Amino acid sequence: MKTEEISTNNSSTTADNNKIEYHPLVIVGGGIGGLVLALCLDQIYNHPTNSSEEQSSTTTSSTTTTPRQKLEIHIYESTKSYTSNAGGAIGLYPNGLRILKHISPKLLTNVRNGGCTYIYRRWMRHDGMEVGVAREDELLPNVNNVNENVSSGDVGEDVEDKEDKEEIQTKSQDVEGERANNRPRGGSIGSLRSSFMKRLEVAGVVREEGGEETNKRTSIASSSTNGRRGSVRDILQSIGSSARDLLTQGDGKRTSVSQNIETDLLSLGIRRWKYQQILHDACLDAGIVIHFGKRLQSVTSINSSSDGDNNDDVKTLLHFKDGSQVTTSLLIGADGINSKVRNYVTNPTKSSSNNQQAQDEEEYVPEYTGVTCLMGCANTPRPVRGICFPSSATTKCHACYYPTRAPSSTSSPDNDNDWETVFQIYFPSPIERPDTWRTLTPEEAKRECKELANKLRKDGWDEQFLLPLESETLTGVLRVGLRSRDGLDCWHVAGSSSDDNTDEGGKSLGRAVLLGDAAHPPVPYIGQGAMMAMEDAGTLSMLLGRFCPITSSVEEDDTPAQLDLQKFAKAMSVYESLRVSRTKAILGSSIALGKTQQKRAESKLYNAWREISIKAQESPR
């Protein structure tokens, strides 16, 4: 940390006492996205690999695999501290968990120990009828070496903790779950492929190679052009191109029945405060500095040189509501749907040309979606394991229930305190009531959830969905109106002297980039908001490490490291090319699912069609 004299692009504005802290890299927002990004950056810059492959992939001669200086990473978080009533719970899925695994397998283990694996995904009616059930490991990619017909219990073979294996085997079984276990992975397509291959094997068209000591692989059997089988070409031509698709994978190789399921990436539910605390502790262990109680007010471009002509020395000045200020060479906005960094990215020249206006900037309020959600948690068991999505035609609403804790193999499954279930119930509510959207007091939560349970019971809801609402162990109950904000196509300010990145006076702007909700706010129907932020973090840190290395220095070892940002614009171009289209597609699917679930509740005809389509995606029983 150091202080410096600065001059703003507006010469009439000066910083308080002309002495302001400076950090080469600052992250605004200490939520999930910001914490994961900090850990990714620490891994990239301060713990680089020494493999020849990594060394050969560097793009500038100034990059070293073992930098003498450590990059200081500072996070500025608006809340005063992390508390145990923070934000209900979230689901973590393979795409996000993979980022944690790359940071540290130990970090992933800590997160898994703090949550509960789903095992199954269930679509249900409010009266408890199951419309469709699938194994959650369908979300995992396949690699060779494990038999395709492995059940969810057998998946535990790859779990390091034996208790986790036993838990999967002993706590997850029910009639529908057993049927899901016995179906080949890949849904209806997987079932068709399996059935087709068996038919070819019976007909002698394919054979299995290898003995017990080797992996079994299916290959086309050689045959003559005469006789019952005919040639392989004749058979495939008669069956058609669909058969070729079933017999081949994307790389053109023959289909193998051997697969490997990365069980450490299985989807899980976890209380938000637990996940946040695990990430926070990991950041402290890594030496990452977190500044609490720092609510950002505005961002302004400045020139730290007195004449303001050195474009390479342009920085951003952060104004906080407590009156403090910080400068940085690279600002990363992970400050959520109400992002102040986003305001700077979308209109940087306005902020830099009128500093007083920037400091008085009003809070942006995203648009209300017309849906209110009541969410909470209770120590109640689920009668069947998994995340489930009930929809009600009587109450005209839909919900999501999932476990965040379940008994281990050494616990008693009859002890309710060993279970933890999260509920999220979504109601269409045209009237906007921001005054009521908050964390409820224990008395309010008990009263409101009891009233809701009575109403749902009259509407025919199954008792399994009412149990957590009436539990004495209710905790973390929130009532919140869902809001939305359009995603951006441009997530950064490059900080170059080009026409697109200068203020009205022609001076360069400070560098900034967004990730997570600040760039692409989600709605919470498929649980991918946090996952997209984690994907952003992994991608952004990798690109910064490749294009913006730590600069070589002959200064003392304890001098804070600086980043070479000359190729920052190029890194951001790649970042946006990778992330913008993906986040739009994924989060667009979330919006579509929310609408689909609500339409199920409002239209019997649509619900009947939807249930048929859900069942069709299952493999035949």
Side-chain angles (χ1 to χ4, degrees), residues 55-66:
Q55 291 181 21
S56 63
S57 67
T58 55
T59 58
T60 61
S61 59
S62 61
T63 305
T64 59
T65 56
T66 308

Side-chain angles (χ1 to χ4, degrees), residues 559-608:
T559 302
Q562 299 289 323
L563 296 180
D564 181 353
L565 296 171
Q566 295 182 51
K567 295 187 177 181
F568 176 74
K570 183 175 181 179
M572 294 305 96
S573 175
V574 178
Y575 176 53
E576 291 170 355
S577 69
L578 292 172
R579 300 302 303 153
V580 172
S581 60
R582 173 162 172 79
T583 54
K584 283 186 175 181
I586 297 296
L587 301 181
S589 297
S590 183
I591 294 172
L593 177 60
K595 292 180 178 179
T596 294
Q597 285 293 83
Q598 189 57 41
K599 286 175 69 176
R600 284 184 64 201
E602 294 174 350
S603 169
K604 292 182 179 180
L605 182 62
Y606 179 84
N607 181 57

